[in-house]
């Protein structure tokens, strides 16, 4: 039973990991800092641990999909991220691909239920 749960947990983590890039990019049209992004995603049913989010944001920035700016006018400095033009292009392509994959997968799942 323990091995089965470990396997399921591992498969679920793998499935989620594949959707997080698209989920994050979808929310980055306007500037957001890390905590506001966590809240935005969770408000839409996508939970993400900050320990997963911050390395992902840095990786997306390094890949040129996001850019960041520091704002120091508030009570504490915050690093805001938003999509770059290249990030917008990649996001649109990923979104199209996601819709095609989701539709195909949905057909397979419906077929399995028949």
């Amino acid at each position: 039973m323990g091995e089965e749960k470990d396997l399921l947990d591992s498969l679920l983590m793998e499935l989620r990991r594949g959707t997080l890039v698209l989920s994050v990019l979808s929310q980055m049209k306007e500037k957001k800092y890390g905590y506001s992004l966590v809240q935005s995603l969770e408000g839409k049913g996508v939970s993400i641990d900050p320990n997963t989010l911050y390395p992902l944001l840095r990786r997306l920035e390094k890949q040129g999909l996001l850019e960041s700016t520091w704002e120091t006018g508030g009570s504490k400095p915050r690093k805001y991220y938003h999509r770059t033009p290249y990030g917008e292009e990649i996001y649109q392509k990923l979104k199209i691909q996601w819709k095609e994959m989701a539709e195909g997968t949905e057909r397979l799942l419906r077929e399995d239920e028949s």
Side-chain angles (χ1 to χ4, degrees), residues 15-79:
L15 183 62
R16 279 186 37 77
R17 190 176 297 134
T19 63
L20 287 178
V21 169
L22 182 59
S23 297
V24 166
L25 287 175
S26 76
Q27 300 301 295
M28 301 308 290
K29 184 174 185 174
E30 304 294 328
K31 289 182 180 182
K32 285 193 174 63
Y33 61 96
Y35 184 69
S36 68
L37 180 55
V38 168
Q39 290 179 312
S40 176
L41 289 167
E42 287 184 352
K44 294 174 177 129
V46 177
S47 63
I48 186 167
D49 187 282
N51 293 324
T52 300
L53 176 64
Y54 290 106
L56 176 58
L57 290 172
R58 287 190 295 272
R59 181 169 57 91
L60 294 174
E61 184 176 26
K62 187 174 181 180
Q63 293 169 332
L65 303 177
L66 298 178
E67 61 186 11
S68 65
T69 54
W70 282 97
E71 292 195 11
T72 57
S75 61
K76 62 180 182 176
R78 288 192 171 136
K79 190 173 188 178

Side-chain angles (χ1 to χ4, degrees), residues 96-113:
I96 290 166
Q97 185 64 40
W98 170 262
K99 288 178 180 181
E100 290 173 2
M101 289 172 39
E103 289 170 4
T105 301
E106 188 60 36
R107 281 192 297 276
L108 291 171
L109 296 177
R110 277 194 309 266
E111 182 180 282
D112 181 57
E113 292 172 354

Side-chain angles (χ1 to χ4, degrees), residues 81-95:
Y81 293 87
H82 68 279
R83 284 192 309 249
T84 62
Y86 179 58
E88 177 66 25
E89 179 184 332
I90 294 297
Y91 167 63
Q92 293 302 326
K93 290 177 180 178
L94 287 174
K95 191 165 67 166

